[in-house]
Amino acid sequence: MVKMAIMGHGTVGSGVYEVFEMNADKIARVLGEPVEIKYVLDLRDFSALPYGHKFITDFSVIENDPEVTVVAEVMGGVGAAYEFTRRCLLAGKSVCTSNKELVATRGEELLQIAAEKGVNYLFEASVGGGIPIIRPLLQCLAANEFNEICGILNGTTNYILTQMIHNGVSFEDALHQAQLNGYAEKDPTADIEGHDACRKICILADLAFGDKFDPEQVACEGISHITLEDVANADKLGCVIKLLGRTVRCDDGTAYAYVAPHLIHKESPLAAVEDVFNAIMVDGNATGEVMFYGKGAGKLATASAVAADMMDCVEHATQRRRIFWGDGSKNLLRPLDTLQSAWYVRFKGTRQAIEDALPVESLAEPTPGVLVVRTRRLSTAEMQAKIARLNEGGKVCAAMRML
Ligand code: HSE
């Protein structure tokens, strides 16, 4: 019998318990022995649950129980979650998590402790919920240099955009529904302002390029300013608006990394990714483009990845997985100034002003005085300078990259 513990009984934590219960026979068959969830750590009162007797409020019970060898950290945040993870690893227990904030900000340190103690710190669920992406990057695609990783990495914002695009639902109503479905973060600001996707693209860049990409340094723009007007303009251009996390390797080994809404062509596979689904396109220099698709958020989808990591820890109890990245001192993050893109611009002002300022590829005037422009490719720095110039005699209401 393998004994495990779960720290946190929110959406994902309760899902992890459910997966181990629902699939107990299958899991025992794979591991060759059954799993017992010995403790669930949470300060709230869950005594009415059938497994209410397993709840504890004192972390040291887990820390000091030598029977417990694998622990799920599904508390979220970087306070107690960091402290408890560190202490579990130091106590020689493997830890598995869905906590992208903790992995993105302190991952290198926790992986280092895990290495020193000969245990595992696994985080498949931290990116893409139930989609396998961390293992494929580390194993199946390990022989590649990565040219680019680009994806829809946040289920809540993809759900909101899908509702806006197809049903004309307001931003607020769609967000409320995403919260009810258990997709959103406790504070949904992290979803709608892109911070959640930013942490995820940083983790993918850390793994792809071997050094820390700090979420604090990575340019991050969310979707709270996207209007139904932009959605309709995108449609006329044959595009949909999607929030993308993207990292692109440059010839000198540095890489761009950022999160921003983009207009993407309806023919692109990413355009067909709707609702809570996520998709991640990985361009390896040997494989070419490989795409990963599935539910990026939600209770059981995310729990499935945490539970599988916990099983992996049992199977690799004596042979730890080799996962690491540096502390960021290589400064691999390249400023976006030189990143070239075509742009969508919505501008209130004169046609003359916009034609003078931008390399116009196409121009429409859906309502009098409102101009919608698709530009030829220009760099972020050029675009920023042109926006400043256009704002002197008019107003740039929206500017988004097009892929
Ligand atoms: N709030 C996140 C999302 C949960 O909507 O994608 C999964 O990380």
Side-chain angles (χ1 to χ4, degrees):
M1 176 85 77
V2 189
K3 311 236 176 184
M4 299 180 173
I6 301 172
M7 302 193 294
H9 194 259
T11 303
V12 181
S14 58
V16 172
Y17 194 93
E18 192 175 329
V19 167
F20 274 107
E21 241 186 7
M22 179 170 77
N23 296 334
D25 292 346
K26 158 70 196 295
I27 290 168
R29 196 165 73 236
V30 170
L31 296 181
E33 56 186 328
V35 169
E36 180 194 336
I37 304 295
K38 189 168 180 185
Y39 307 114
V40 183
L41 179 73
D42 203 297
L43 293 177
R44 293 166 293 180
D45 178 14
F46 288 102
S47 52
L49 288 176
Y51 53 99
H53 60 285
K54 300 198 171 199
F55 279 82
I56 55 168
T57 54
D58 178 3
F59 164 72
S60 65
V61 173
I62 295 173
E63 185 181 28
N64 295 323
D65 187 338
E67 275 193 343
V68 173
T69 51
V70 182
V71 181
E73 183 276 293
V74 280
M75 304 162 65
V78 291
Y82 165 70
E83 182 58 20
F84 294 172
T85 298
R86 201 177 64 86
R87 282 167 59 182
C88 279
L89 296 171
L90 287 170
K93 301 174 195 302
S94 289
V95 178
C96 306
T97 190
S98 57
N99 187 341
K100 51 260 162 178
E101 187 178 4
L102 185 56
V103 177
T105 54
R106 316 285 304 246
E108 76 285 4
E109 179 191 337
L110 294 168
L111 286 166
Q112 181 64 35
I113 298 172
E116 282 160 16
K117 300 309 279 186
V119 292
N120 281 295
Y121 181 52
L122 302 183
F123 44 89
E124 183 63 68
S126 67
V127 182
I131 306 172
I133 179 64
I134 305 292
R135 261 182 203 72
L137 281 184
L138 284 167
Q139 292 179 229
C140 321
L141 301 172
N144 287 261
E145 280 288 3
F146 297 108
N147 299 320
E148 177 173 348
I149 301 175
C150 174
I152 295 170
L153 299 172
N154 181 268
T156 300
T157 45
N158 204 44
Y159 180 85
I160 292 171
L161 289 170
T162 304
Q163 292 298 317
M164 290 174 78
I165 292 166
H166 293 302
N167 303 329
V169 172
S170 74
F171 180 88
E172 289 74 20
D173 286 352
L175 171 59
H176 184 59
Q177 193 56 48
Q179 286 176 297
L180 289 179
N181 291 344
Y183 304 152
E185 298 300 298
K186 272 186 203 142
D187 174 4
T189 314
D191 296 298
I192 61 182
E193 298 306 342
H195 306 141
D196 177 76
C198 183
R199 291 164 190 149
K200 293 168 178 169
I201 198 65
C202 286
I203 294 170
L204 297 178
D206 295 339
L207 289 166
F209 305 124
D211 203 34
K212 179 175 179 170
F213 283 68
D214 184 351
E216 295 289 323
Q217 309 294 323
V218 166
C220 179
E221 183 187 329
I223 64 159
S224 55
H225 57 295
I226 306 287
T227 63
L228 288 172
E229 196 179 349
D230 291 317
V231 167
N233 291 336
D235 184 60
K236 286 192 193 112
L237 289 165
C239 295
V240 288
I241 299 176
K242 294 286 183 191
L243 183 69
L244 299 182
R246 202 172 166 223
T247 183
V248 181
R249 187 174 186 272
C250 304
D251 290 340
D252 64 359
T254 62
Y256 300 113
Y258 68 100
V259 172
H262 288 68
L263 268 69
I264 57 177
H265 273 280
K266 288 181 187 169
E267 293 78 37
S268 158
L270 288 175
V273 177
E274 300 195 325
D275 291 317
V276 72
F277 284 84
N278 285 190
I280 303 145
M281 187 281 295
V282 179
D283 182 5
N285 69 348
T287 56
E289 290 185 1
V290 183
M291 182 109 161
F292 300 86
Y293 171 83
K295 272 193 189 166
K299 181 175 172 173
L300 291 183
T302 309
S304 145
V306 178
D309 271 352
M310 294 170 86
M311 293 169 68
D312 200 13
C313 288
V314 176
E315 291 181 302
H316 290 88
T318 54
Q319 187 195 8
R320 58 172 300 280
R321 292 202 166 278
R322 205 162 164 271
I323 309 174
F324 68 92
W325 54 80
D327 61 3
S329 55
K330 290 187 190 160
N331 289 316
L332 296 184
L333 178 65
R334 187 183 181 105
L336 289 185
D337 304 16
T338 50
L339 177 66
Q340 298 268 332
S341 319
W343 291 78
Y344 155 87
V345 179
R346 175 161 59 89
F347 176 66
K348 281 189 184 153
T350 66
R351 194 177 179 115
Q352 188 67 50
I354 205 149
E355 282 178 342
D356 286 351
L358 293 175
V360 173
E361 176 85 32
S362 73
L363 187 150
E365 192 167 358
T367 49
V370 178
L371 298 158
V372 172
V373 166
R374 179 202 171 112
T375 73
R376 291 195 288 279
R377 282 164 69 82
L378 69 169
S379 72
T380 308
E382 286 170 316
M383 191 65 205
Q384 282 166 347
K386 287 174 192 301
I387 288 173
R389 188 171 144 203
L390 281 165
N391 278 334
E392 285 167 15
K395 184 167 189 288
V396 174
C397 304
M400 283 179 257
R401 291 185 183 80
M402 301 183 76
L403 276 186

